């Protein structure tokens, strides 16, 4: 069976989030130790309604790649991590994801083994971008983000966009949900602000490692 993924976004009261900072290393270990988990990340998030560099300690995310739908389903039904999140969170959103295009690596790993691209598909699309940025180049990259974020917020068809990360600086990711593939492609390739930054990324070598993955959203819970 083909590998699949899931993204989970939880909103917590502040006092719950403070305690989560303490348990974060244990949750990361527990997630990666789950049967069938190829890649597992417990991530902080940006402030609401922005992908700019910021922190919202009341929101946390899980991104995981699974060997197959069977192991993903077992995680949803039996995971002690999700059980704790459900018992303490004000709300949790779950996105079931099927990869349709992926390139690059995360921590030296290609979690989708160079999946063959699917050209056309219907329904919602999720996009995850991830990059490691050397410290000496981080601030140049950071200064380029606000103009892209403003363009993203104004773009039709984007229902969710947030920054996510393993660390506040140097390990940066974004996760977004689009109503359709056409909406996502319009922003990626026809928005001047975004294409300009992509060109600078390549010309100036901002990233030491990066991964881009596009998913079909198969279910939202």
């Amino acid at each position: 069976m083909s590998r699949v993924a899931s993204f989970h976004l939880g909103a917590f009261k502040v006092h719950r989030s403070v305690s989560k900072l303490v348990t974060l290393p244990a949750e990361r270990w527990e997630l990666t130790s789950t049967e069938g988990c190829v890649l597992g990340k417990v991530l902080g998030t940006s402030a609401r309604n922005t992908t700019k560099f910021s922190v919202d300690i009341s929101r946390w995310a899980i991104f995981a790649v699974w060997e197959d739908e069977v192991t993903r389903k077992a995680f949803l039904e039996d995971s002690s991590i999700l059980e704790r999140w459900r018992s303490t969170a004000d709300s949790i959103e779950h996105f079931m994801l099927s990869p349709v295009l992926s390139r690059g690596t995360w921590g030296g790993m290609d979690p989708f083994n160079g999946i063959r691209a699917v050209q056309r598909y219907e329904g919602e699309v999720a996009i995850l971008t991830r990059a490691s940025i050397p410290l000496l180049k981080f601030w140049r990259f950071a200064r380029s983000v606000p103009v892209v974020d403003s363009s993203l917020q104004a773009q039709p068809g984007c229902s969710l966009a947030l920054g996510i990360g393993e660390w506040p600086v140097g390990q940066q990711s974004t996760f977004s949900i689009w109503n359709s593939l056409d909406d996502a492609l319009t922003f990626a390739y026809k928005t001047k602000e975004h294409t300009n930054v992509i060109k600078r990324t390549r010309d100036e070598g901002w990233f030491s490692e990066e991964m881009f993955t596009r998913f079909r959203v198969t279910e939202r819970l």
Side-chain angles (χ1 to χ4, degrees), residues 56-210:
D56 181 357
I57 66 167
S58 69
R59 284 199 310 177
W60 295 84
I62 291 172
F63 173 70
V65 178
W66 304 98
E67 284 288 2
D68 49 39
E69 293 184 9
V70 173
T71 52
R72 181 176 67 183
K73 182 179 179 182
F75 175 74
L76 285 169
E77 295 179 351
D78 303 324
S79 165
S80 57
I81 299 174
L82 287 187
E83 183 179 348
R84 288 195 301 273
W85 280 40
R86 291 185 181 109
S87 66
T88 57
D90 291 339
S91 65
I92 304 180
E93 297 177 90
H94 307 276
F95 300 88
M96 304 299 106
L97 308 172
S98 177
V100 294
L101 172 67
S102 187
R103 56 178 179 265
T105 59
W106 192 331
M109 175 194 297
D110 174 2
F112 298 107
N113 291 329
I115 184 174
R116 186 174 180 180
V118 178
Q119 298 301 321
R120 300 299 306 180
Y121 38 91
E122 300 298 322
E124 286 187 309
V125 172
I127 294 177
L128 185 141
T129 66
R130 184 265 172 187
S132 293
I133 309 168
L135 186 59
L136 291 177
K137 298 181 179 181
F138 178 80
W139 298 114
R140 276 183 287 170
F141 174 75
R143 288 194 295 269
S144 74
V145 171
V147 66
V148 177
D149 181 73
S150 296
S151 176
L152 175 61
Q153 302 303 329
Q155 185 70 28
C158 182
S159 61
L160 172 68
L162 70 157
I164 51 177
E166 300 162 82
W167 304 103
V169 174
Q171 302 287 332
Q172 308 303 317
S173 309
T174 64
F175 182 79
S176 58
I177 299 288
W178 300 84
N179 294 340
S180 70
L181 177 60
D182 286 341
D183 288 329
L185 293 178
T186 295
F187 173 74
Y189 300 113
K190 297 183 180 180
T191 304
K192 180 179 66 175
E193 294 83 357
H194 185 258
T195 55
N196 286 347
V197 168
I198 293 300
K199 185 177 186 301
R200 288 190 64 195
T201 296
R202 301 289 178 258
D203 292 346
E204 300 179 31
W206 285 347
F207 302 157
S208 59
E209 183 185 47
E210 60 182 308

